[in-house]
Amino acid sequence: MANPRKWAVLSGAAARCLLVCAGFLPLFAAHAAAVDLAEFRGSVVYLDFWASWCAPCRQSFPWMQTMQDAYGAQGLRVVAVNVDQYRADAEQFLAKFHPKFDVRFDPQGEVAARFKIQGMPTGVIIDRHGALRYTHIGFRPMDGAAYEDQLRSVLAEK
């Protein structure tokens, strides 16, 4: 299968080359609960790959909920993709946090593989046009403010 990612050059005050995840939404639709392609159009997406055994994920979940609560009205959509092989493990984890953001399941790791995930958790910020803007491997509470600044910056763009 062809790689669903392709390069695009965006112009503005400073030209920059960004990875456009053209296959992002169709991948979700194929491997998780059905997702309407229009559902994310125009939104900034914080896409998080996580697992029940991941200690830093226990710290990132409250932060992601805070971000969704604070910036959801501005167009932020937090989407957490679980890669546990056994859904019961993920459900047990979720019972501790009760997230109000979207949670999807990728037990075969196919979506994670297409994003070349190398550690847990991995957060990806995707802008309103589908361009991958930032990737974070791991999560430390001390980095939360910097990640929030990145989200605010991308949310401020049109």
Side-chain angles (χ1 to χ4, degrees):
M1 179 174 179
N3 188 335
R5 299 174 186 186
K6 53 185 165 182
W7 291 97
V9 176
L10 301 180
S11 58
R16 57 192 172 195
C17 186
L18 299 172
L19 180 63
V20 175
C21 299
F24 169 67
L25 294 171
L27 286 174
F28 258 174
H31 299 286
V35 174
D36 182 355
L37 296 181
E39 183 177 358
F40 296 114
R41 190 173 296 130
S43 296
V44 170
V45 178
Y46 187 85
L47 178 64
D48 180 76
F49 291 89
W50 65 281
S52 63
W53 47 262
C54 165
C57 297
R58 293 182 196 109
Q59 298 174 323
S60 67
F61 259 67
W63 178 84
M64 289 188 295
Q65 187 62 60
T66 299
M67 295 302 98
Q68 182 64 65
D69 293 345
Y71 301 106
Q74 296 174 37
L76 176 65
R77 295 289 306 271
V78 173
V79 181
V81 179
N82 176 265
V83 298
D84 281 308
Q85 185 176 9
Y86 302 106
R87 185 157 175 166
D89 294 341
E91 295 293 350
Q92 189 173 25
F93 179 98
L94 292 170
K96 295 176 185 171
F97 294 100
H98 307 287
K100 295 180 185 102
F101 48 80
D102 289 333
V103 176
R104 310 296 172 158
F105 300 92
D106 182 28
Q108 303 305 316
E110 294 174 22
V111 177
R114 293 195 183 190
F115 277 87
K116 300 183 192 269
I117 301 307
Q118 298 178 10
M120 290 291 140
T122 292
V124 178
I125 298 175
I126 301 170
D127 72 15
R128 297 179 196 277
H129 306 287
L132 187 146
R133 300 293 296 277
Y134 299 97
T135 298
H136 313 120
I137 300 173
F139 183 87
R140 298 178 307 173
M142 65 177 21
D143 296 328
Y147 298 169
E148 183 175 2
D149 286 345
Q150 292 170 345
L151 284 171
R152 275 198 304 261
S153 174
V154 174
L155 283 163
E157 299 171 358
K158 295 299 172 194

